[in-house]
Amino acid sequence: NMGILFGLLAGMSLAVPTMASTSMVFSYLISNAVLYNRGIPDKREDDMRPTKLKPLLITLAITSIFGGLGFSLGCAIGGTFFPMTQRANGVIGALTAVGLGFAGTFFKVQDDEV
């Protein structure tokens, strides 16, 4: 389940604030991969599927918007409650992972036709 994965990444940011940047990068990459590949059939091992430009750009836009919203909310909350501490970085990383998890879980960019 993707919610568990993004929850673990958010928890990693809170538990070890120095790993917040790593969890944000992993969240961004996983969210992009999940969102772009949702709705298309699995490919065979020897079959290479061409990348469609429109779904790719929509994927990057959605994940950037929701990642940015999570990051902004994290900056506001982390800066308010934990100014100038590593804990603020953990809050920022956690909320960024939550925003990206939301984007990767609830959106679909591929058309029904393949």
Side-chain angles (χ1 to χ4, degrees):
N1 190 330
M2 296 312 298
I4 294 171
L5 178 62
F6 286 106
L8 288 173
L9 289 168
M12 181 178 77
S13 292
L14 290 173
V16 186
T18 56
M19 295 293 291
S21 59
T22 303
S23 76
M24 287 191 287
V25 170
F26 283 150
S27 297
Y28 189 72
L29 293 174
I30 293 168
S31 181
N32 280 321
V34 168
L35 182 57
Y36 181 79
N37 289 312
R38 177 173 291 121
I40 55 177
D42 292 335
K43 67 177 184 76
R44 295 178 300 204
E45 286 184 29
D46 60 345
D47 192 19
M48 189 72 165
R49 191 172 37 232
T51 303
K52 296 179 184 176
L53 184 60
K54 183 179 175 185
L56 176 65
L57 293 176
I58 293 171
T59 298
L60 293 174
I62 289 172
T63 54
S64 296
I65 289 168
F66 279 91
L69 288 173
F71 184 85
S72 299
L73 186 61
C75 287
I77 292 173
T80 301
F81 295 109
F82 308 106
M84 304 299 288
T85 63
Q86 281 292 327
R87 183 61 55 197
N89 291 342
V91 172
I92 292 167
L95 289 176
T96 302
V98 168
L100 290 167
F102 182 83
T105 303
F106 294 109
F107 287 93
K108 178 182 171 189
V109 298
Q110 294 286 350
D111 295 331
D112 291 328
E113 52 192 63
V114 177

XYZ file of all heavy atoms in Angstrom:
840
model
N 0.846 -1.181 0.000
C 0.000 0.000 0.000
C 0.888 1.240 0.000
O 1.827 1.358 0.782
C -0.892 -0.044 1.236
C -1.960 0.995 1.213
O -1.791 2.058 0.639
N -3.074 0.700 1.833
N 0.545 2.191 -0.865
C 1.367 3.397 -0.999
C 1.280 4.293 0.229
O 2.236 4.985 0.561
C 0.960 4.174 -2.250
C 1.198 3.438 -3.548
S 2.836 2.691 -3.704
C 3.886 4.088 -3.621
N 0.146 4.289 0.902
C -0.002 5.103 2.100
C 0.993 4.707 3.178
O 1.551 5.562 3.880
N 1.237 3.414 3.302
C 2.200 2.931 4.291
C 3.606 3.384 3.922
O 4.372 3.835 4.778
C 2.122 1.399 4.409
C 0.766 0.985 4.980
C 3.269 0.864 5.256
C 0.515 -0.498 4.941
N 3.949 3.298 2.643
C 5.280 3.702 2.204
C 5.527 5.188 2.469
O 6.560 5.573 3.018
C 5.466 3.385 0.718
C 6.807 3.799 0.117
C 7.948 3.066 0.804
C 6.812 3.532 -1.362
N 4.573 6.025 2.073
C 4.742 7.462 2.305
C 4.672 7.796 3.796
O 5.326 8.735 4.251
C 3.719 8.262 1.505
C 4.038 8.304 0.042
C 3.314 7.550 -0.865
C 5.067 9.084 -0.436
C 3.604 7.577 -2.218
C 5.380 9.122 -1.786
C 4.646 8.368 -2.674
N 3.913 7.034 4.559
C 3.897 7.206 6.008
C 5.252 6.888 6.623
O 5.707 7.580 7.543
N 5.899 5.832 6.122
C 7.238 5.494 6.608
C 8.254 6.577 6.249
O 9.124 6.915 7.051
C 7.686 4.145 6.039
C 6.989 2.924 6.604
C 7.409 1.669 5.834
C 7.304 2.761 8.074
N 8.134 7.132 5.049
C 9.046 8.201 4.662
C 8.821 9.454 5.511
O 9.780 10.118 5.911
C 8.882 8.520 3.171
C 9.420 7.452 2.221
C 8.952 7.708 0.803
C 10.931 7.392 2.292
N 7.559 9.769 5.794
C 7.263 10.909 6.665
C 7.760 10.641 8.079
O 8.337 11.522 8.726
C 5.761 11.194 6.671
N 7.561 9.435 8.566
C 8.040 9.065 9.893
C 9.551 9.111 9.991
O 10.108 9.502 11.024
N 10.226 8.734 8.902
C 11.687 8.806 8.886
C 12.151 10.254 9.032
O 13.109 10.538 9.748
C 12.233 8.216 7.587
C 13.744 8.222 7.495
S 14.379 7.469 5.989
C 14.068 8.756 4.803
N 11.446 11.171 8.392
C 11.804 12.586 8.507
C 11.624 13.088 9.933
O 12.444 13.863 10.424
C 10.938 13.434 7.575
O 11.245 13.172 6.245
N 10.556 12.661 10.570
C 10.309 13.109 11.943
C 11.270 12.459 12.935
O 11.734 13.107 13.874
C 8.866 12.812 12.339
C 7.805 13.654 11.638
C 6.419 13.147 11.998
C 7.952 15.119 11.984
N 11.558 11.177 12.741
C 12.413 10.458 13.685
C 13.880 10.862 13.547
O 14.596 10.979 14.538
C 12.266 8.953 13.480
N 14.321 11.053 12.301
C 15.718 11.421 12.039
C 15.709 12.651 11.128
O 15.754 12.518 9.904
C 16.482 10.258 11.370
C 17.960 10.587 11.245
C 16.276 8.960 12.105
N 15.636 13.845 11.694
C 15.495 15.063 10.880
C 16.622 15.282 9.872
O 16.407 15.922 8.850
C 15.471 16.186 11.912
C 15.001 15.551 13.163
C 15.546 14.152 13.120
N 17.795 14.726 10.128
C 18.880 14.892 9.160
C 18.627 14.090 7.878
O 19.277 14.344 6.866
C 20.231 14.467 9.768
O 20.130 13.123 10.240
C 20.616 15.387 10.912
N 17.671 13.167 7.907
C 17.314 12.382 6.718
C 16.112 12.967 5.973
O 15.592 12.342 5.054
C 17.009 10.940 7.127
C 18.186 10.176 7.680
S 19.448 9.882 6.451
C 18.623 8.718 5.405
N 15.675 14.153 6.365
C 14.480 14.747 5.759
C 14.667 14.984 4.264
O 13.758 14.718 3.475
C 14.124 16.050 6.467
N 15.835 15.464 3.864
C 16.050 15.720 2.435
C 16.033 14.420 1.643
O 15.517 14.371 0.522
C 17.358 16.463 2.218
O 18.448 15.718 2.720
N 16.552 13.351 2.223
C 16.531 12.059 1.550
C 15.103 11.545 1.398
O 14.724 11.042 0.334
C 17.367 11.040 2.350
O 18.688 11.541 2.485
C 17.387 9.694 1.672
N 14.292 11.702 2.427
C 12.914 11.232 2.333
C 12.114 12.067 1.336
O 11.227 11.548 0.666
C 12.235 11.231 3.701
O 11.884 12.528 4.102
N 12.430 13.354 1.213
C 11.737 14.178 0.219
C 12.082 13.732 -1.197
O 11.206 13.661 -2.059
C 12.088 15.659 0.409
C 11.438 16.281 1.622
S 11.593 18.076 1.696
C 13.297 18.281 2.127
N 13.348 13.417 -1.444
C 13.757 12.955 -2.776
C 13.106 11.615 -3.100
O 12.552 11.428 -4.196
C 15.295 12.857 -2.872
C 15.722 12.162 -4.149
C 15.913 14.233 -2.790
N 13.162 10.666 -2.160
C 12.520 9.376 -2.389
C 11.020 9.537 -2.616
O 10.442 8.893 -3.494
C 12.762 8.421 -1.220
C 14.126 7.804 -1.203
C 14.708 7.448 -0.002
C 14.825 7.566 -2.361
C 15.970 6.873 0.031
C 16.073 7.003 -2.348
C 16.660 6.649 -1.150
N 10.377 10.394 -1.838
C 8.940 10.624 -1.995
C 8.626 11.183 -3.372
O 7.656 10.781 -4.016
C 8.430 11.587 -0.924
O 8.583 11.052 0.347
N 9.441 12.118 -3.833
C 9.214 12.722 -5.148
C 9.371 11.686 -6.261
O 8.538 11.596 -7.160
C 10.169 13.897 -5.359
C 9.863 14.713 -6.588
C 8.756 15.537 -6.626
C 10.675 14.653 -7.704
C 8.461 16.281 -7.760
C 10.398 15.387 -8.829
C 9.289 16.206 -8.857
O 8.993 16.938 -9.978
N 10.423 10.893 -6.182
C 10.652 9.885 -7.219
C 9.561 8.816 -7.223
O 9.043 8.442 -8.290
C 12.023 9.239 -7.022
C 13.229 10.151 -7.236
C 14.515 9.429 -6.864
C 13.284 10.643 -8.661
N 9.197 8.323 -6.060
C 8.173 7.283 -5.968
C 6.820 7.821 -6.403
O 6.077 7.164 -7.135
C 8.113 6.707 -4.543
C 9.401 5.950 -4.238
C 6.902 5.801 -4.361
C 9.579 5.590 -2.788
N 6.494 9.036 -5.992
C 5.217 9.630 -6.364
C 5.116 9.806 -7.878
O 4.079 9.521 -8.478
C 5.051 10.973 -5.657
O 3.819 11.556 -5.978
N 6.198 10.266 -8.504
C 6.193 10.407 -9.964
C 6.015 9.060 -10.653
O 5.234 8.940 -11.599
C 7.486 11.069 -10.438
C 7.481 12.557 -10.279
O 6.471 13.204 -10.502
N 8.602 13.110 -9.876
N 6.732 8.055 -10.197
C 6.645 6.734 -10.829
C 5.254 6.131 -10.673
O 4.678 5.603 -11.630
C 7.693 5.806 -10.229
N 4.695 6.219 -9.476
C 3.375 5.640 -9.218
C 2.298 6.377 -10.010
O 1.429 5.763 -10.635
C 3.056 5.670 -7.708
C 1.608 5.366 -7.435
C 3.950 4.701 -6.979
N 2.366 7.691 -10.000
C 1.350 8.488 -10.685
C 1.406 8.279 -12.197
O 0.374 8.107 -12.846
C 1.528 9.968 -10.336
C 0.526 10.944 -10.912
C -0.895 10.566 -10.517
C 0.840 12.346 -10.435
N 2.594 8.277 -12.771
C 2.705 8.108 -14.221
C 2.256 6.718 -14.668
O 1.620 6.565 -15.699
C 4.139 8.359 -14.689
C 4.284 8.222 -16.177
C 3.885 9.249 -17.027
C 4.773 7.060 -16.758
C 3.984 9.125 -18.400
C 4.884 6.917 -18.121
C 4.488 7.954 -18.940
O 4.578 7.824 -20.304
N 2.552 5.692 -13.899
C 2.251 4.316 -14.305
C 0.869 3.831 -13.902
O 0.487 2.725 -14.275
C 3.307 3.368 -13.746
C 4.624 3.540 -14.447
O 4.681 3.572 -15.662
N 5.686 3.680 -13.684
N 0.122 4.622 -13.153
C -1.228 4.201 -12.762
C -2.143 4.222 -13.991
O -2.197 5.177 -14.728
C -1.804 5.123 -11.693
C -3.242 4.737 -11.339
C -3.808 5.487 -10.183
N -3.107 5.050 -8.971
C -2.428 5.866 -8.185
N -2.375 7.138 -8.428
N -1.825 5.398 -7.132
N -2.852 3.141 -14.180
C -3.841 3.078 -15.248
C -3.346 2.477 -16.540
O -4.103 2.372 -17.498
N -2.098 2.074 -16.619
C -1.614 1.418 -17.828
C -1.274 -0.035 -17.483
O -0.854 -0.333 -16.371
C -0.393 2.140 -18.451
C 0.738 2.316 -17.446
C -0.798 3.488 -19.004
C 1.972 2.952 -18.028
N -1.474 -0.947 -18.429
C -1.223 -2.362 -18.127
C 0.266 -2.633 -17.929
O 1.125 -1.898 -18.428
C -1.757 -3.085 -19.360
C -1.744 -2.072 -20.443
C -1.949 -0.741 -19.777
N 0.552 -3.697 -17.185
C 1.944 -4.096 -16.988
C 2.551 -4.480 -18.318
O 1.901 -5.069 -19.181
C 2.026 -5.274 -16.024
C 1.630 -4.887 -14.618
O 1.753 -3.684 -14.288
O 1.201 -5.769 -13.864
N 3.838 -4.180 -18.470
C 4.518 -4.520 -19.725
C 5.256 -5.837 -19.576
O 5.578 -6.266 -18.478
C 5.476 -3.410 -20.117
C 6.661 -3.244 -19.194
C 7.585 -2.164 -19.703
C 8.816 -2.064 -18.831
N 9.765 -3.111 -19.050
N 5.494 -6.446 -20.714
C 6.307 -7.663 -20.709
C 7.757 -7.265 -20.472
O 8.151 -6.119 -20.677
C 6.169 -8.391 -22.034
C 4.753 -8.907 -22.272
C 4.699 -9.566 -23.598
N 5.059 -8.542 -24.602
C 4.702 -8.587 -25.854
N 4.017 -9.590 -26.295
N 5.043 -7.641 -26.691
N 8.568 -8.211 -20.059
C 9.959 -7.906 -19.730
C 10.737 -7.345 -20.909
O 11.552 -6.455 -20.752
C 10.650 -9.162 -19.211
C 10.227 -9.542 -17.814
C 11.018 -10.719 -17.320
O 12.173 -10.894 -17.738
O 10.484 -11.465 -16.497
N 10.521 -7.872 -22.111
C 11.312 -7.454 -23.263
C 10.664 -6.327 -24.066
O 11.150 -5.954 -25.107
C 11.582 -8.651 -24.175
C 10.292 -9.278 -24.688
O 9.222 -8.963 -24.124
O 10.356 -10.077 -25.626
N 9.566 -5.793 -23.572
C 8.835 -4.761 -24.292
C 9.136 -3.394 -23.683
O 8.997 -3.195 -22.488
C 7.334 -5.059 -24.215
C 6.532 -4.202 -25.166
O 7.131 -3.663 -26.107
O 5.322 -4.077 -24.951
N 9.558 -2.451 -24.524
C 9.845 -1.097 -24.058
C 8.693 -0.193 -24.477
O 8.353 -0.110 -25.651
C 11.157 -0.612 -24.674
C 11.643 0.652 -24.100
S 12.248 0.335 -22.457
C 13.135 1.807 -22.167
N 8.102 0.478 -23.520
C 6.961 1.345 -23.779
C 7.460 2.781 -23.969
O 8.227 3.280 -23.158
C 6.010 1.263 -22.590
C 4.689 1.875 -22.788
C 3.714 1.613 -21.660
N 4.302 1.608 -20.335
C 4.139 0.622 -19.454
N 3.427 -0.425 -19.752
N 4.698 0.689 -18.272
N 7.026 3.460 -25.044
C 7.467 4.851 -25.225
C 6.817 5.770 -24.183
O 5.701 5.534 -23.730
C 6.998 5.203 -26.637
C 5.861 4.285 -26.897
C 6.156 3.016 -26.128
N 7.532 6.809 -23.825
C 7.026 7.776 -22.853
C 6.104 8.756 -23.572
O 6.447 9.301 -24.614
C 8.192 8.549 -22.219
O 9.083 7.618 -21.627
C 7.705 9.517 -21.189
N 4.922 8.963 -22.989
C 3.973 9.928 -23.544
C 4.233 11.272 -22.878
O 4.321 11.372 -21.654
C 2.549 9.484 -23.281
C 2.179 8.194 -23.968
C 0.747 7.824 -23.636
C 0.370 6.492 -24.221
N -0.985 6.091 -23.833
N 4.347 12.310 -23.682
C 4.730 13.623 -23.166
C 3.648 14.258 -22.291
O 3.948 14.775 -21.210
C 5.080 14.561 -24.326
C 5.592 15.935 -23.918
C 6.856 15.815 -23.103
C 5.812 16.796 -25.133
N 2.391 14.216 -22.732
C 1.326 14.877 -21.976
C 1.161 14.294 -20.568
O 1.161 15.052 -19.589
C 0.007 14.820 -22.750
C -1.120 15.554 -22.067
C -2.404 15.486 -22.881
C -3.553 16.126 -22.125
N -4.816 15.979 -22.830
N 1.032 12.956 -20.404
C 0.931 12.418 -19.038
C 2.187 12.691 -18.196
O 2.093 12.916 -16.993
C 0.733 10.920 -19.240
C 0.202 10.777 -20.604
C 0.792 11.907 -21.394
N 3.350 12.712 -18.845
C 4.584 12.987 -18.116
C 4.571 14.411 -17.557
O 4.888 14.635 -16.381
C 5.798 12.788 -19.020
C 7.146 13.139 -18.411
C 7.466 12.205 -17.249
C 8.234 13.089 -19.462
N 4.190 15.372 -18.378
C 4.153 16.764 -17.920
C 3.081 16.980 -16.853
O 3.302 17.718 -15.888
C 3.931 17.703 -19.107
C 5.078 17.761 -20.122
C 4.704 18.645 -21.295
C 6.361 18.216 -19.473
N 1.937 16.326 -17.006
C 0.882 16.439 -15.990
C 1.355 15.817 -14.673
O 1.113 16.370 -13.591
C -0.420 15.773 -16.484
C -0.993 16.561 -17.664
C -1.442 15.689 -15.362
C -2.140 15.867 -18.363
N 2.055 14.681 -14.769
C 2.605 14.040 -13.570
C 3.571 14.961 -12.848
O 3.478 15.150 -11.629
C 3.326 12.734 -13.953
O 2.389 11.834 -14.522
C 4.000 12.097 -12.759
N 4.497 15.547 -13.589
C 5.471 16.446 -12.971
C 4.793 17.671 -12.365
O 5.198 18.141 -11.299
C 6.522 16.860 -14.003
C 7.438 15.746 -14.490
C 8.337 16.242 -15.614
C 8.260 15.182 -13.351
N 3.759 18.179 -13.021
C 3.045 19.343 -12.491
C 2.307 19.001 -11.196
O 2.398 19.741 -10.205
C 2.063 19.877 -13.534
N 1.593 17.890 -11.195
C 0.825 17.504 -9.997
C 1.746 17.245 -8.810
O 1.510 17.738 -7.711
C -0.059 16.270 -10.294
C -1.207 16.661 -11.213
C -0.611 15.670 -8.994
C -2.016 15.483 -11.708
N 2.815 16.482 -9.029
C 3.709 16.181 -7.910
C 4.451 17.430 -7.444
O 4.692 17.590 -6.244
C 4.708 15.069 -8.263
O 5.401 15.415 -9.455
C 4.007 13.747 -8.430
N 4.797 18.323 -8.351
C 5.463 19.563 -7.945
C 4.529 20.457 -7.145
O 4.942 21.060 -6.146
C 5.984 20.317 -9.175
O 6.978 19.567 -9.818
N 3.273 20.536 -7.562
C 2.306 21.364 -6.837
C 2.059 20.813 -5.440
O 2.138 21.545 -4.447
C 0.986 21.471 -7.629
C 1.188 22.353 -8.864
C -0.140 22.013 -6.754
C 0.053 22.303 -9.854
N 1.773 19.513 -5.331
C 1.471 18.946 -4.015
C 2.715 18.848 -3.135
O 2.631 19.003 -1.922
C 0.761 17.600 -4.150
C -0.700 17.758 -4.414
C -1.185 17.817 -5.700
C -1.588 17.884 -3.366
C -2.530 17.990 -5.950
C -2.938 18.052 -3.599
C -3.409 18.112 -4.897
N 3.871 18.589 -3.738
C 5.105 18.625 -2.968
C 5.397 20.026 -2.461
O 5.813 20.221 -1.320
N 5.142 21.029 -3.305
C 5.331 22.418 -2.898
C 4.362 22.846 -1.813
O 4.731 23.583 -0.886
N 3.122 22.381 -1.910
C 2.151 22.686 -0.848
C 2.566 22.062 0.478
O 2.489 22.710 1.535
C 0.756 22.199 -1.242
C 0.044 22.977 -2.343
C -1.245 22.265 -2.743
C -0.236 24.389 -1.898
N 2.996 20.807 0.439
C 3.468 20.156 1.658
C 4.703 20.840 2.225
O 4.819 21.054 3.436
N 5.615 21.244 1.330
C 6.822 21.934 1.764
C 6.482 23.284 2.395
O 7.013 23.640 3.450
C 7.758 22.127 0.563
C 9.070 22.750 0.915
C 10.109 21.976 1.373
C 9.273 24.112 0.773
C 11.333 22.531 1.697
C 10.482 24.690 1.095
C 11.522 23.897 1.553
N 5.575 24.025 1.767
C 5.176 25.336 2.301
C 4.489 25.207 3.655
O 4.772 25.979 4.581
C 4.241 26.047 1.319
O 4.896 26.261 0.095
N 3.600 24.240 3.764
C 2.936 24.008 5.046
C 3.951 23.583 6.106
O 3.884 24.023 7.258
C 1.842 22.947 4.886
C 0.958 22.681 6.092
C 0.199 23.947 6.476
C -0.003 21.561 5.784
N 4.911 22.758 5.711
C 5.964 22.341 6.632
C 6.823 23.511 7.087
O 7.208 23.596 8.257
N 7.127 24.432 6.162
C 7.901 25.620 6.542
C 7.121 26.478 7.529
O 7.694 26.996 8.496
C 8.253 26.440 5.308
S 9.531 25.711 4.283
N 5.827 26.639 7.289
C 5.012 27.460 8.188
C 4.907 26.819 9.577
O 5.118 27.488 10.593
C 3.622 27.663 7.591
N 4.612 25.530 9.620
C 4.456 24.850 10.911
C 5.805 24.660 11.597
O 5.957 24.946 12.788
C 3.723 23.511 10.726
C 2.277 23.768 10.307
C 3.777 22.683 12.010
C 1.525 22.526 9.936
N 6.791 24.181 10.843
C 8.108 23.958 11.432
C 8.761 25.241 11.905
O 9.382 25.288 12.968
N 8.614 26.308 11.124
C 9.197 27.585 11.512
C 8.488 28.223 12.688
O 9.092 28.952 13.471
N 7.202 27.948 12.831
C 6.438 28.515 13.943
C 6.729 27.792 15.251
O 6.969 28.434 16.278
C 4.925 28.438 13.642
O 4.658 29.152 12.434
C 4.121 29.031 14.787
N 6.712 26.474 15.224
C 6.842 25.704 16.457
C 8.270 25.279 16.791
O 8.580 25.009 17.950
C 5.936 24.475 16.412
C 4.483 24.824 16.369
C 3.741 24.632 15.222
C 3.858 25.367 17.482
C 2.394 24.964 15.178
C 2.522 25.706 17.456
C 1.785 25.512 16.290
N 9.135 25.178 15.788
C 10.513 24.733 16.018
C 11.493 25.648 15.285
O 12.224 25.200 14.400
C 10.719 23.296 15.523
C 9.714 22.326 16.045
C 8.708 21.838 15.225
C 9.785 21.886 17.352
C 7.788 20.931 15.701
C 8.864 20.977 17.842
C 7.869 20.506 17.013
N 11.533 26.933 15.622
C 12.403 27.843 14.858
C 13.877 27.499 15.032
O 14.334 27.202 16.136
C 12.071 29.217 15.428
C 11.515 28.959 16.780
C 10.854 27.617 16.707
N 14.585 27.497 13.901
C 16.038 27.329 13.884
C 16.508 26.018 14.526
O 17.532 25.989 15.217
C 16.723 28.512 14.564
C 16.356 29.862 13.970
S 16.788 30.039 12.240
C 18.542 30.176 12.367
N 15.772 24.934 14.328
C 16.189 23.636 14.872
C 16.122 22.582 13.772
O 15.501 22.788 12.720
C 15.286 23.182 16.033
O 13.961 22.993 15.533
C 15.274 24.188 17.167
N 16.768 21.456 14.024
C 16.687 20.331 13.091
C 15.278 19.751 13.040
O 14.870 19.187 12.035
C 17.681 19.232 13.491
C 19.096 19.503 13.078
C 19.269 19.451 11.564
O 18.602 18.695 10.866
N 20.154 20.276 11.066
N 14.531 19.874 14.129
C 13.173 19.341 14.175
C 12.311 20.006 13.095
O 11.426 19.375 12.524
C 12.578 19.552 15.571
C 11.210 18.982 15.776
C 11.120 17.490 15.597
N 12.056 16.773 16.433
C 12.386 15.510 16.223
N 11.848 14.821 15.249
N 13.259 14.909 16.992
N 12.565 21.289 12.802
C 11.825 21.971 11.736
C 12.075 21.290 10.396
O 11.151 21.138 9.587
C 12.215 23.447 11.676
N 13.312 20.860 10.158
C 13.609 20.133 8.921
C 12.828 18.827 8.846
O 12.364 18.430 7.776
C 15.102 19.832 8.827
C 15.926 21.073 8.602
O 15.404 22.101 8.195
N 17.204 20.975 8.893
N 12.682 18.164 9.974
C 11.912 16.929 10.006
C 10.445 17.163 9.686
O 9.830 16.388 8.955
N 9.882 18.242 10.222
C 8.477 18.576 9.940
C 8.303 18.928 8.470
O 7.344 18.496 7.817
C 8.008 19.737 10.849
C 6.639 20.233 10.437
C 8.003 19.301 12.301
N 9.241 19.688 7.920
C 9.175 20.047 6.500
C 9.245 18.792 5.632
O 8.450 18.619 4.700
C 10.307 21.032 6.143
C 10.074 22.377 6.831
C 10.419 21.209 4.633
C 11.268 23.306 6.797
N 10.170 17.894 5.925
C 10.298 16.660 5.152
C 9.073 15.773 5.270
O 8.627 15.171 4.297
N 8.520 15.696 6.480
C 7.348 14.851 6.692
C 6.139 15.370 5.924
O 5.425 14.602 5.276
C 7.028 14.755 8.183
N 5.893 16.665 5.986
C 4.721 17.215 5.289
C 4.911 17.216 3.778
O 3.938 17.087 3.029
C 4.395 18.604 5.819
C 3.826 18.596 7.242
C 3.620 20.004 7.757
C 2.528 17.817 7.303
N 6.147 17.325 3.322
C 6.403 17.182 1.890
C 6.097 15.751 1.442
O 5.465 15.542 0.399
C 7.857 17.543 1.561
O 8.119 18.878 1.997
C 8.133 17.442 0.072
N 6.507 14.771 2.226
C 6.216 13.375 1.903
C 4.711 13.115 1.918
O 4.193 12.381 1.073
C 6.931 12.442 2.884
N 3.998 13.725 2.851
C 2.539 13.563 2.914
C 1.886 14.168 1.667
O 0.996 13.555 1.062
C 1.979 14.199 4.206
C 0.469 14.316 4.150
C 2.398 13.386 5.414
N 2.318 15.353 1.269
C 1.766 15.987 0.062
C 2.029 15.159 -1.181
O 1.148 14.973 -2.028
N 3.241 14.643 -1.307
C 3.574 13.811 -2.461
C 2.839 12.476 -2.413
O 2.443 11.942 -3.455
C 5.083 13.608 -2.529
C 5.874 14.856 -2.914
C 7.353 14.649 -2.642
C 5.631 15.224 -4.354
N 2.651 11.945 -1.217
C 1.877 10.715 -1.083
C 0.436 10.912 -1.504
O -0.163 10.048 -2.150
N -0.128 12.064 -1.160
C -1.490 12.374 -1.581
C -1.571 12.438 -3.104
O -2.487 11.885 -3.711
C -1.935 13.710 -0.960
C -3.343 14.083 -1.294
C -4.396 13.573 -0.567
C -3.623 14.942 -2.349
C -5.701 13.906 -0.872
C -4.916 15.285 -2.670
C -5.967 14.765 -1.926
N -0.605 13.102 -3.721
C -0.595 13.219 -5.181
C -0.452 11.852 -5.846
O -1.138 11.554 -6.828
C 0.532 14.137 -5.629
N 0.429 11.026 -5.314
C 0.651 9.715 -5.916
C -0.465 8.726 -5.673
O -0.613 7.758 -6.400
N -1.264 8.969 -4.658
C -2.313 8.020 -4.292
C -3.652 8.343 -4.945
O -4.380 7.441 -5.349
C -2.481 7.980 -2.761
O -1.223 7.648 -2.181
C -3.498 6.955 -2.344
N -4.002 9.595 -5.066
C -5.358 9.964 -5.459
C -5.520 10.507 -6.867
O -6.628 10.853 -7.259
C -5.922 10.979 -4.465
C -6.126 10.399 -3.098
C -5.306 10.767 -2.052
C -7.110 9.460 -2.868
C -5.487 10.235 -0.789
C -7.291 8.918 -1.613
C -6.481 9.305 -0.573
N -4.489 10.586 -7.652
C -4.599 11.108 -9.012
C -4.267 10.042 -10.041
O -3.586 9.062 -9.738
C -3.679 12.322 -9.213
C -4.166 13.561 -8.522
C -3.745 13.864 -7.252
C -5.058 14.412 -9.133
C -4.184 14.995 -6.593
C -5.509 15.548 -8.517
C -5.070 15.839 -7.237
N -4.719 10.268 -11.271
C -4.424 9.387 -12.399
C -4.228 10.266 -13.627
O -5.063 11.137 -13.896
C -5.578 8.410 -12.618
C -5.404 7.498 -13.779
C -6.618 6.589 -13.976
C -6.503 5.846 -15.282
N -7.721 5.143 -15.604
N -3.155 10.075 -14.356
C -2.871 10.937 -15.502
C -2.962 10.214 -16.851
O -3.033 10.865 -17.875
C -1.477 11.598 -15.380
C -1.427 12.489 -14.164
C -0.379 10.574 -15.353
N -2.925 8.897 -16.841
C -2.968 8.152 -18.095
C -4.409 8.044 -18.615
O -5.347 7.913 -17.846
C -2.406 6.744 -17.900
C -0.949 6.722 -17.569
C -0.048 7.034 -18.754
O -0.480 7.097 -19.903
N 1.217 7.235 -18.477
N -4.536 8.110 -19.938
C -5.833 7.891 -20.555
C -6.179 6.410 -20.469
O -5.329 5.557 -20.246
C -5.790 8.300 -22.042
C -5.563 9.789 -22.197
O -5.969 10.555 -21.299
O -4.981 10.180 -23.225
N -7.459 6.110 -20.657
C -7.885 4.717 -20.611
C -7.395 3.931 -21.814
O -7.243 2.724 -21.761
C -9.415 4.634 -20.524
C -9.914 5.140 -19.192
O -9.209 4.991 -18.187
O -11.023 5.695 -19.169
N -7.162 4.611 -22.921
C -6.653 3.914 -24.102
C -5.141 3.865 -24.057
O -4.478 4.792 -23.654
C -7.131 4.604 -25.366
C -6.836 6.098 -25.374
C -7.559 6.812 -26.474
O -8.783 6.816 -26.469
O -6.865 7.363 -27.338
N -4.574 2.754 -24.475
C -3.118 2.578 -24.390
C -2.495 2.675 -25.758
O -2.915 2.190 -26.717
C -2.765 1.224 -23.729
C -1.288 1.027 -23.720
C -3.333 1.200 -22.346
